[in-house]
Amino acid sequence: MLHASVAEFIRAEPQALAKGPIAIVFIEDDAAVARTLDHCLTSGFRVVLAFSARGPEAAEEDNPNIHWIKWAKTAEAAMSSAVNAVIAAAPGQWIHYCYNAEFLMFPFCESRSVAEMIAFNVEERRDTVLTYVIDLYASDLHRHPDAVDLDGAFMDRSGYYALARTDRWNNTLDRQMDFFGGLRWRFEEHVPKPRRRIDRVSIFKAKKGLLLSEDHTFNDAEYNTYACPWHHNLTAAVCSFRTAKALKRNPGSTYAIDTFRWHNSVPFEWKSEQLMNLGLMEPGQWF
């Protein structure tokens, strides 16, 4: 069943968001949809909201933990409007949002659930988990013209950096930074400047009045910080084929890119240890 809106979904299933954590998946195309939804469930999310222009396929309709909501990706503020509607409907719940062909990885995710990670974060008095979007891409674009290869994905092992985030008056913002790297950095001439950042606070606790913007920042400054004032905090990664897909789909870049491989490409191992060893996420005080 495809619900017409978040409001209609809440009316039809008023208890669906009573217990989290909740995952929101924005389905932009057909790439790795089933794998993305399954990854959210196996990571420990109790509820998955699939925002999509299409309804569920027969196999997808069987899972009572996945709810389908109509979504037009070309609408103005399509992503933030949908997330903000869920925030308003589920205050107090922890929410994660991503797109199809994106996969949340967090420290020790092979043996621990996302609920355990959230419980630790609550003990740290944090209402957010900063995530870095790590680009994945197919090694052979002739065999995988959409740049998606789940079984043979590659990633960049270096080339990531951060700059201090400033306000409109060029004042440095406390504990906020803009992070860059991956395909958006290597092929930046094909990426609009506002979309080059790879930081995204994609795990957070919903509360009354909280709003997400299209640039992946919140109206609460503390939600945009990478750590609390007294020590480093746990961070996670969203391993994503989304940029690679866009670069190969865009007529302005597809013919300029024969391969995403370079001397710092390494096979993606689907293991949190690899990401921690590369410094792309850290456990903080969680051991």
Side-chain angles (χ1 to χ4, degrees), residues 15 60 144 151 153 198 254 257:
Q15 298 303 312
E60 298 164 338
H144 303 279
D151 298 320
I198 63 169
T254 185
I257 301 171

Side-chain angles (χ1 to χ4, degrees), residues 1-3 9 12-13 15-17 19 21-27 32-52 54-70 98 100:
M1 178 180 179
L2 183 65
H3 296 280
F9 162 63
E13 303 184 52
Q15 298 303 312
L17 302 182
K19 196 167 186 179
I22 300 164
I24 298 172
V25 179
F26 294 109
I27 299 174
V33 172
R35 182 80 169 263
T36 307
L37 298 175
D38 182 66
H39 183 83
C40 289
L41 292 172
T42 56
S43 295
F45 290 99
R46 292 177 180 269
V47 179
V48 178
L49 306 181
F51 282 82
S52 174
R54 67 167 176 85
E57 310 233 341
E60 298 164 338
E61 202 166 16
D62 292 336
N63 197 314
N65 296 318
I66 301 176
H67 306 274
W68 293 77
I69 299 172
K70 191 171 182 60
C98 67
N100 63 296

Side-chain angles (χ1 to χ4, degrees), residues 187 190 246-258:
F187 298 96
H190 299 295
L247 287 170
K248 288 308 295 179
R249 184 172 55 239
N250 189 335
S253 56
T254 185
Y255 299 110
I257 301 171
D258 293 325

Side-chain angles (χ1 to χ4, degrees), residues 21 45 94-97 104-107 113-133 179 198-206 210 212 216 218 222-228 232-238 280-284 286:
F45 290 99
W94 281 79
I95 296 172
H96 163 60
Y97 72 96
L104 175 66
M105 303 286 287
F106 53 89
S113 71
V114 69
E116 291 176 285
M117 179 189 67
I118 288 170
F120 168 77
N121 218 45
V122 170
E123 292 176 358
E124 296 271 281
R125 291 184 286 171
R126 291 285 290 174
D127 291 333
T128 60
V129 177
L130 176 64
T131 56
Y132 305 111
V133 180
F179 295 85
I198 63 169
D199 52 279
R200 186 193 300 175
V201 181
S202 66
I203 309 172
F204 61 93
K205 184 178 180 180
L210 184 68
L212 177 70
H216 302 287
F218 289 92
E222 187 63 27
Y223 270 58
N224 300 324
T225 60
Y226 56 80
C228 62
H232 290 296
N233 291 107
L234 175 149
T235 60
V238 174
L280 299 176
M281 65 182 182
E282 62 173 280
W286 198 28

Side-chain angles (χ1 to χ4, degrees), residues 168-183:
R168 69 180 70 180
W169 301 283
N170 209 34
N171 297 311
T172 300
L173 296 172
D174 181 39
R175 290 172 291 120
Q176 295 190 43
M177 301 192 80
D178 293 329
F179 295 85
F180 303 91
L183 300 181

